[in-house]
Amino acid sequence: LLNNRPDIRQAEHELAAAKWNVNAARKEFLPSLNISASLGLDAFNPTYLTRMPKSLAFSVLGGLTGPLINRKAIQANFQTADAQQVEALYEYDKTLLTAYSEVCTLMSRIKNLDQYYKLKEEESQKLDHSIDVARQLYLNGRCTYLDVLMDERDALDAKMELLEAKEQQYSSMVDVYRSLGGGQSSSSSTEK
């Protein structure tokens, strides 16, 4: 259930992205060779403009000195990326714990409702048996018809509680599947 939750998947992807950001920031410390050449005419004196070889200017710029010149900025970028990775790890842990807590709560609720349903089912069967006993007692003149009606009412109440327990079970199962859709489960409105 936890692997299918989109909030956990999103947190995993954000953690992986933060790792790649740290790797990219770490690689900025390494020198790179970027060669760009420009060719043009350079003449502050108008007489050299017409003389082609003397006014020709070119430059070759390498990226070898970049890490040395920008060392503090690169260190700051690396520390920022490292801090963002730690933050992504904490967010992942928080998301995972929250999701685990939600799923465990819902699963234990389903288990408890199942046990509650079994007890209510047993109670309902015993009350049905008590109705039969009360009818026999009434037919033999040992109790009043009011006692039979009270037993029937109790049995009917137990059957209603049995239905409500089954409804809560299904509602909890729906909440488990709903939690797969985004991590926000809503509590059942039929809770008593």
Side-chain angles (χ1 to χ4, degrees):
L1 289 174
L2 290 175
N3 288 334
N4 293 331
R5 288 177 59 111
D7 54 343
I8 291 179
R9 286 185 184 170
Q10 179 183 0
E12 287 174 353
H13 292 306
E14 288 173 1
L15 185 61
K19 177 185 172 191
W20 289 111
N21 286 343
V22 169
N23 287 340
R26 183 177 291 127
K27 289 181 181 180
E28 287 181 17
F29 284 110
L30 302 174
S32 64
L33 184 60
N34 297 329
I35 299 175
S36 65
S38 61
L39 181 65
L41 296 176
D42 185 20
F44 291 107
N45 192 347
T47 59
Y48 289 122
L49 258 160
T50 57
R51 298 184 189 160
M52 191 62 109
K54 292 181 181 177
S55 67
L56 201 59
F58 62 93
S59 68
V60 176
L61 179 64
L64 299 174
T65 60
L68 296 175
I69 295 172
N70 296 328
R71 185 145 189 90
K72 294 293 183 187
I74 293 172
Q75 283 177 341
N77 286 342
F78 177 74
Q79 289 173 350
T80 301
D82 192 39
Q84 288 173 345
Q85 183 182 21
V86 170
E87 182 181 350
L89 179 64
Y90 288 143
E91 284 297 318
Y92 175 74
D93 286 345
K94 179 180 149 189
T95 303
L96 192 61
L97 287 173
T98 302
Y100 179 76
S101 173
E102 286 178 3
V103 169
C104 280
T105 301
L106 289 171
M107 295 304 288
S108 66
R109 179 169 184 212
I110 289 172
K111 182 181 174 186
N112 291 340
L113 284 171
D114 187 47
Q115 291 173 351
Y116 177 73
Y117 180 80
K118 287 177 184 175
L119 290 174
K120 283 296 179 181
E121 191 173 37
E122 185 180 331
E123 178 187 12
S124 177
Q125 289 172 355
K126 294 207 187 268
L127 286 171
D128 285 341
H129 181 68
S130 75
I131 291 173
D132 292 337
V133 170
R135 282 188 183 151
Q136 288 297 324
L137 289 173
Y138 173 71
L139 292 175
N140 292 327
R142 298 285 183 181
C143 71
T144 65
Y145 194 68
L146 184 62
D147 293 330
V148 174
L149 290 176
M150 295 297 278
D151 284 346
E152 286 178 352
R153 185 199 66 189
D154 291 342
L156 184 61
D157 287 343
K159 285 185 172 103
M160 292 298 292
E161 289 175 359
L162 187 68
L163 290 174
E164 288 174 2
K166 190 52 107 173
E167 179 189 8
Q168 288 179 357
Q169 258 185 321
Y170 289 145
S171 178
S172 294
M173 288 179 194
V174 168
D175 286 343
V176 168
Y177 288 108
R178 187 177 293 144
S179 76
L180 293 176
Q184 298 296 328
S185 65
S186 64
S187 61
S188 175
S189 62
T190 60
E191 255 181 74
K192 299 285 179 194

PDB file of all heavy atoms in Angstrom, residues 105-125:
ATOM      1  N   THR A 105      -3.214   2.850  10.912  1.00  0.00           N
ATOM      2  CA  THR A 105      -4.435   3.208  11.629  1.00  0.00           C
ATOM      3  C   THR A 105      -5.659   2.648  10.912  1.00  0.00           C
ATOM      4  O   THR A 105      -6.547   2.065  11.541  1.00  0.00           O
ATOM      5  CB  THR A 105      -4.554   4.737  11.770  1.00  0.00           C
ATOM      6  OG1 THR A 105      -3.409   5.225  12.465  1.00  0.00           O
ATOM      7  CG2 THR A 105      -5.812   5.136  12.487  1.00  0.00           C
ATOM      8  N   LEU A 106      -5.685   2.822   9.605  1.00  0.00           N
ATOM      9  CA  LEU A 106      -6.832   2.324   8.848  1.00  0.00           C
ATOM     10  C   LEU A 106      -6.906   0.797   8.860  1.00  0.00           C
ATOM     11  O   LEU A 106      -7.989   0.215   8.997  1.00  0.00           O
ATOM     12  CB  LEU A 106      -6.775   2.844   7.405  1.00  0.00           C
ATOM     13  CG  LEU A 106      -7.050   4.334   7.241  1.00  0.00           C
ATOM     14  CD1 LEU A 106      -6.746   4.779   5.818  1.00  0.00           C
ATOM     15  CD2 LEU A 106      -8.486   4.659   7.595  1.00  0.00           C
ATOM     16  N   MET A 107      -5.761   0.138   8.753  1.00  0.00           N
ATOM     17  CA  MET A 107      -5.752  -1.322   8.756  1.00  0.00           C
ATOM     18  C   MET A 107      -6.162  -1.873  10.131  1.00  0.00           C
ATOM     19  O   MET A 107      -6.904  -2.850  10.215  1.00  0.00           O
ATOM     20  CB  MET A 107      -4.379  -1.863   8.352  1.00  0.00           C
ATOM     21  CG  MET A 107      -3.983  -1.527   6.923  1.00  0.00           C
ATOM     22  SD  MET A 107      -5.156  -2.070   5.688  1.00  0.00           S
ATOM     23  CE  MET A 107      -4.874  -3.818   5.725  1.00  0.00           C
ATOM     24  N   SER A 108      -5.686  -1.250  11.200  1.00  0.00           N
ATOM     25  CA  SER A 108      -6.089  -1.714  12.533  1.00  0.00           C
ATOM     26  C   SER A 108      -7.565  -1.418  12.776  1.00  0.00           C
ATOM     27  O   SER A 108      -8.252  -2.198  13.453  1.00  0.00           O
ATOM     28  CB  SER A 108      -5.221  -1.084  13.614  1.00  0.00           C
ATOM     29  OG  SER A 108      -5.430   0.294  13.692  1.00  0.00           O
ATOM     30  N   ARG A 109      -8.055  -0.344  12.211  1.00  0.00           N
ATOM     31  CA  ARG A 109      -9.484  -0.045  12.351  1.00  0.00           C
ATOM     32  C   ARG A 109     -10.317  -1.108  11.648  1.00  0.00           C
ATOM     33  O   ARG A 109     -11.339  -1.560  12.178  1.00  0.00           O
ATOM     34  CB  ARG A 109      -9.792   1.331  11.772  1.00  0.00           C
ATOM     35  CG  ARG A 109     -11.249   1.666  11.882  1.00  0.00           C
ATOM     36  CD  ARG A 109     -11.550   3.089  11.567  1.00  0.00           C
ATOM     37  NE  ARG A 109     -12.977   3.265  11.801  1.00  0.00           N
ATOM     38  CZ  ARG A 109     -13.729   4.090  11.140  1.00  0.00           C
ATOM     39  NH1 ARG A 109     -13.195   4.881  10.249  1.00  0.00           N
ATOM     40  NH2 ARG A 109     -15.004   4.170  11.378  1.00  0.00           N
ATOM     41  N   ILE A 110      -9.872  -1.529  10.469  1.00  0.00           N
ATOM     42  CA  ILE A 110     -10.586  -2.583   9.749  1.00  0.00           C
ATOM     43  C   ILE A 110     -10.562  -3.880  10.560  1.00  0.00           C
ATOM     44  O   ILE A 110     -11.583  -4.568  10.683  1.00  0.00           O
ATOM     45  CB  ILE A 110      -9.971  -2.798   8.351  1.00  0.00           C
ATOM     46  CG1 ILE A 110     -10.303  -1.603   7.460  1.00  0.00           C
ATOM     47  CG2 ILE A 110     -10.473  -4.081   7.716  1.00  0.00           C
ATOM     48  CD1 ILE A 110      -9.590  -1.603   6.133  1.00  0.00           C
ATOM     49  N   LYS A 111      -9.422  -4.189  11.137  1.00  0.00           N
ATOM     50  CA  LYS A 111      -9.314  -5.407  11.951  1.00  0.00           C
ATOM     51  C   LYS A 111     -10.223  -5.326  13.177  1.00  0.00           C
ATOM     52  O   LYS A 111     -10.927  -6.291  13.499  1.00  0.00           O
ATOM     53  CB  LYS A 111      -7.863  -5.597  12.382  1.00  0.00           C
ATOM     54  CG  LYS A 111      -7.621  -6.837  13.186  1.00  0.00           C
ATOM     55  CD  LYS A 111      -6.167  -6.935  13.598  1.00  0.00           C
ATOM     56  CE  LYS A 111      -5.954  -8.116  14.534  1.00  0.00           C
ATOM     57  NZ  LYS A 111      -4.594  -8.155  15.047  1.00  0.00           N
ATOM     58  N   ASN A 112     -10.222  -4.186  13.850  1.00  0.00           N
ATOM     59  CA  ASN A 112     -11.077  -4.019  15.028  1.00  0.00           C
ATOM     60  C   ASN A 112     -12.557  -4.083  14.663  1.00  0.00           C
ATOM     61  O   ASN A 112     -13.361  -4.670  15.396  1.00  0.00           O
ATOM     62  CB  ASN A 112     -10.772  -2.702  15.733  1.00  0.00           C
ATOM     63  CG  ASN A 112      -9.420  -2.706  16.395  1.00  0.00           C
ATOM     64  OD1 ASN A 112      -8.844  -3.753  16.655  1.00  0.00           O
ATOM     65  ND2 ASN A 112      -8.885  -1.522  16.649  1.00  0.00           N
ATOM     66  N   LEU A 113     -12.909  -3.488  13.528  1.00  0.00           N
ATOM     67  CA  LEU A 113     -14.308  -3.542  13.101  1.00  0.00           C
ATOM     68  C   LEU A 113     -14.711  -4.963  12.726  1.00  0.00           C
ATOM     69  O   LEU A 113     -15.865  -5.356  12.926  1.00  0.00           O
ATOM     70  CB  LEU A 113     -14.541  -2.586  11.932  1.00  0.00           C
ATOM     71  CG  LEU A 113     -14.612  -1.108  12.300  1.00  0.00           C
ATOM     72  CD1 LEU A 113     -14.631  -0.236  11.055  1.00  0.00           C
ATOM     73  CD2 LEU A 113     -15.830  -0.824  13.159  1.00  0.00           C
ATOM     74  N   ASP A 114     -13.777  -5.733  12.202  1.00  0.00           N
ATOM     75  CA  ASP A 114     -14.070  -7.123  11.886  1.00  0.00           C
ATOM     76  C   ASP A 114     -14.363  -7.908  13.163  1.00  0.00           C
ATOM     77  O   ASP A 114     -15.317  -8.698  13.213  1.00  0.00           O
ATOM     78  CB  ASP A 114     -12.899  -7.742  11.123  1.00  0.00           C
ATOM     79  CG  ASP A 114     -13.214  -9.137  10.626  1.00  0.00           C
ATOM     80  OD1 ASP A 114     -14.304  -9.332  10.056  1.00  0.00           O
ATOM     81  OD2 ASP A 114     -12.364 -10.036  10.821  1.00  0.00           O
ATOM     82  N   GLN A 115     -13.562  -7.684  14.187  1.00  0.00           N
ATOM     83  CA  GLN A 115     -13.806  -8.354  15.465  1.00  0.00           C
ATOM     84  C   GLN A 115     -15.126  -7.888  16.078  1.00  0.00           C
ATOM     85  O   GLN A 115     -15.897  -8.701  16.622  1.00  0.00           O
ATOM     86  CB  GLN A 115     -12.657  -8.094  16.431  1.00  0.00           C
ATOM     87  CG  GLN A 115     -11.370  -8.767  16.039  1.00  0.00           C
ATOM     88  CD  GLN A 115     -10.205  -8.353  16.918  1.00  0.00           C
ATOM     89  OE1 GLN A 115     -10.305  -7.442  17.719  1.00  0.00           O
ATOM     90  NE2 GLN A 115      -9.081  -9.041  16.745  1.00  0.00           N
ATOM     91  N   TYR A 116     -15.388  -6.597  15.981  1.00  0.00           N
ATOM     92  CA  TYR A 116     -16.645  -6.039  16.492  1.00  0.00           C
ATOM     93  C   TYR A 116     -17.829  -6.663  15.749  1.00  0.00           C
ATOM     94  O   TYR A 116     -18.843  -7.022  16.346  1.00  0.00           O
ATOM     95  CB  TYR A 116     -16.627  -4.515  16.334  1.00  0.00           C
ATOM     96  CG  TYR A 116     -17.882  -3.807  16.750  1.00  0.00           C
ATOM     97  CD1 TYR A 116     -18.221  -3.672  18.087  1.00  0.00           C
ATOM     98  CD2 TYR A 116     -18.732  -3.251  15.803  1.00  0.00           C
ATOM     99  CE1 TYR A 116     -19.378  -3.013  18.476  1.00  0.00           C
ATOM    100  CE2 TYR A 116     -19.885  -2.594  16.176  1.00  0.00           C
ATOM    101  CZ  TYR A 116     -20.208  -2.469  17.507  1.00  0.00           C
ATOM    102  OH  TYR A 116     -21.352  -1.816  17.886  1.00  0.00           O
ATOM    103  N   TYR A 117     -17.693  -6.805  14.434  1.00  0.00           N
ATOM    104  CA  TYR A 117     -18.760  -7.400  13.624  1.00  0.00           C
ATOM    105  C   TYR A 117     -19.020  -8.843  14.051  1.00  0.00           C
ATOM    106  O   TYR A 117     -20.170  -9.264  14.171  1.00  0.00           O
ATOM    107  CB  TYR A 117     -18.398  -7.328  12.143  1.00  0.00           C
ATOM    108  CG  TYR A 117     -19.446  -7.930  11.249  1.00  0.00           C
ATOM    109  CD1 TYR A 117     -20.592  -7.230  10.914  1.00  0.00           C
ATOM    110  CD2 TYR A 117     -19.298  -9.223  10.740  1.00  0.00           C
ATOM    111  CE1 TYR A 117     -21.572  -7.780  10.100  1.00  0.00           C
ATOM    112  CE2 TYR A 117     -20.277  -9.783   9.923  1.00  0.00           C
ATOM    113  CZ  TYR A 117     -21.401  -9.058   9.615  1.00  0.00           C
ATOM    114  OH  TYR A 117     -22.373  -9.608   8.816  1.00  0.00           O
ATOM    115  N   LYS A 118     -17.958  -9.585  14.285  1.00  0.00           N
ATOM    116  CA  LYS A 118     -18.129 -10.984  14.717  1.00  0.00           C
ATOM    117  C   LYS A 118     -18.841 -11.064  16.060  1.00  0.00           C
ATOM    118  O   LYS A 118     -19.713 -11.919  16.262  1.00  0.00           O
ATOM    119  CB  LYS A 118     -16.769 -11.676  14.787  1.00  0.00           C
ATOM    120  CG  LYS A 118     -16.192 -11.968  13.425  1.00  0.00           C
ATOM    121  CD  LYS A 118     -14.817 -12.585  13.520  1.00  0.00           C
ATOM    122  CE  LYS A 118     -14.237 -12.774  12.132  1.00  0.00           C
ATOM    123  NZ  LYS A 118     -12.859 -13.270  12.182  1.00  0.00           N
ATOM    124  N   LEU A 119     -18.504 -10.173  16.986  1.00  0.00           N
ATOM    125  CA  LEU A 119     -19.179 -10.160  18.283  1.00  0.00           C
ATOM    126  C   LEU A 119     -20.651  -9.784  18.141  1.00  0.00           C
ATOM    127  O   LEU A 119     -21.527 -10.373  18.803  1.00  0.00           O
ATOM    128  CB  LEU A 119     -18.472  -9.189  19.235  1.00  0.00           C
ATOM    129  CG  LEU A 119     -17.091  -9.613  19.719  1.00  0.00           C
ATOM    130  CD1 LEU A 119     -16.451  -8.499  20.531  1.00  0.00           C
ATOM    131  CD2 LEU A 119     -17.204 -10.891  20.553  1.00  0.00           C
ATOM    132  N   LYS A 120     -20.920  -8.796  17.292  1.00  0.00           N
ATOM    133  CA  LYS A 120     -22.315  -8.387  17.074  1.00  0.00           C
ATOM    134  C   LYS A 120     -23.105  -9.493  16.388  1.00  0.00           C
ATOM    135  O   LYS A 120     -24.299  -9.683  16.661  1.00  0.00           O
ATOM    136  CB  LYS A 120     -22.382  -7.092  16.235  1.00  0.00           C
ATOM    137  CG  LYS A 120     -22.060  -5.854  17.019  1.00  0.00           C
ATOM    138  CD  LYS A 120     -23.095  -5.669  18.094  1.00  0.00           C
ATOM    139  CE  LYS A 120     -22.841  -4.467  18.939  1.00  0.00           C
ATOM    140  NZ  LYS A 120     -23.837  -4.312  20.000  1.00  0.00           N
ATOM    141  N   GLU A 121     -22.458 -10.234  15.505  1.00  0.00           N
ATOM    142  CA  GLU A 121     -23.124 -11.348  14.834  1.00  0.00           C
ATOM    143  C   GLU A 121     -23.475 -12.447  15.849  1.00  0.00           C
ATOM    144  O   GLU A 121     -24.590 -12.996  15.829  1.00  0.00           O
ATOM    145  CB  GLU A 121     -22.205 -11.901  13.741  1.00  0.00           C
ATOM    146  CG  GLU A 121     -22.855 -12.876  12.803  1.00  0.00           C
ATOM    147  CD  GLU A 121     -21.933 -13.235  11.661  1.00  0.00           C
ATOM    148  OE1 GLU A 121     -20.708 -13.350  11.885  1.00  0.00           O
ATOM    149  OE2 GLU A 121     -22.449 -13.409  10.549  1.00  0.00           O
ATOM    150  N   GLU A 122     -22.549 -12.712  16.739  1.00  0.00           N
ATOM    151  CA  GLU A 122     -22.808 -13.695  17.800  1.00  0.00           C
ATOM    152  C   GLU A 122     -23.945 -13.225  18.718  1.00  0.00           C
ATOM    153  O   GLU A 122     -24.830 -14.006  19.087  1.00  0.00           O
ATOM    154  CB  GLU A 122     -21.528 -13.925  18.607  1.00  0.00           C
ATOM    155  CG  GLU A 122     -21.627 -15.005  19.644  1.00  0.00           C
ATOM    156  CD  GLU A 122     -20.318 -15.182  20.398  1.00  0.00           C
ATOM    157  OE1 GLU A 122     -19.245 -14.917  19.821  1.00  0.00           O
ATOM    158  OE2 GLU A 122     -20.387 -15.573  21.581  1.00  0.00           O
ATOM    159  N   GLU A 123     -23.927 -11.940  19.061  1.00  0.00           N
ATOM    160  CA  GLU A 123     -24.989 -11.384  19.905  1.00  0.00           C
ATOM    161  C   GLU A 123     -26.343 -11.508  19.208  1.00  0.00           C
ATOM    162  O   GLU A 123     -27.350 -11.873  19.837  1.00  0.00           O
ATOM    163  CB  GLU A 123     -24.692  -9.921  20.221  1.00  0.00           C
ATOM    164  CG  GLU A 123     -25.755  -9.241  21.048  1.00  0.00           C
ATOM    165  CD  GLU A 123     -25.540  -7.751  21.215  1.00  0.00           C
ATOM    166  OE1 GLU A 123     -24.688  -7.172  20.503  1.00  0.00           O
ATOM    167  OE2 GLU A 123     -26.230  -7.149  22.057  1.00  0.00           O
ATOM    168  N   SER A 124     -26.364 -11.225  17.914  1.00  0.00           N
ATOM    169  CA  SER A 124     -27.609 -11.300  17.165  1.00  0.00           C
ATOM    170  C   SER A 124     -28.148 -12.735  17.134  1.00  0.00           C
ATOM    171  O   SER A 124     -29.365 -12.953  17.291  1.00  0.00           O
ATOM    172  CB  SER A 124     -27.380 -10.792  15.744  1.00  0.00           C
ATOM    173  OG  SER A 124     -28.550 -10.906  14.982  1.00  0.00           O
ATOM    174  N   GLN A 125     -27.268 -13.696  16.958  1.00  0.00           N
ATOM    175  CA  GLN A 125     -27.701 -15.100  16.961  1.00  0.00           C
ATOM    176  C   GLN A 125     -28.263 -15.502  18.323  1.00  0.00           C
ATOM    177  O   GLN A 125     -29.279 -16.191  18.416  1.00  0.00           O
ATOM    178  CB  GLN A 125     -26.527 -16.008  16.583  1.00  0.00           C
ATOM    179  CG  GLN A 125     -26.119 -15.902  15.133  1.00  0.00           C
ATOM    180  CD  GLN A 125     -24.833 -16.664  14.832  1.00  0.00           C
ATOM    181  OE1 GLN A 125     -24.197 -17.197  15.735  1.00  0.00           O
ATOM    182  NE2 GLN A 125     -24.462 -16.696  13.562  1.00  0.00           N
TER     183      GLN A 125
END
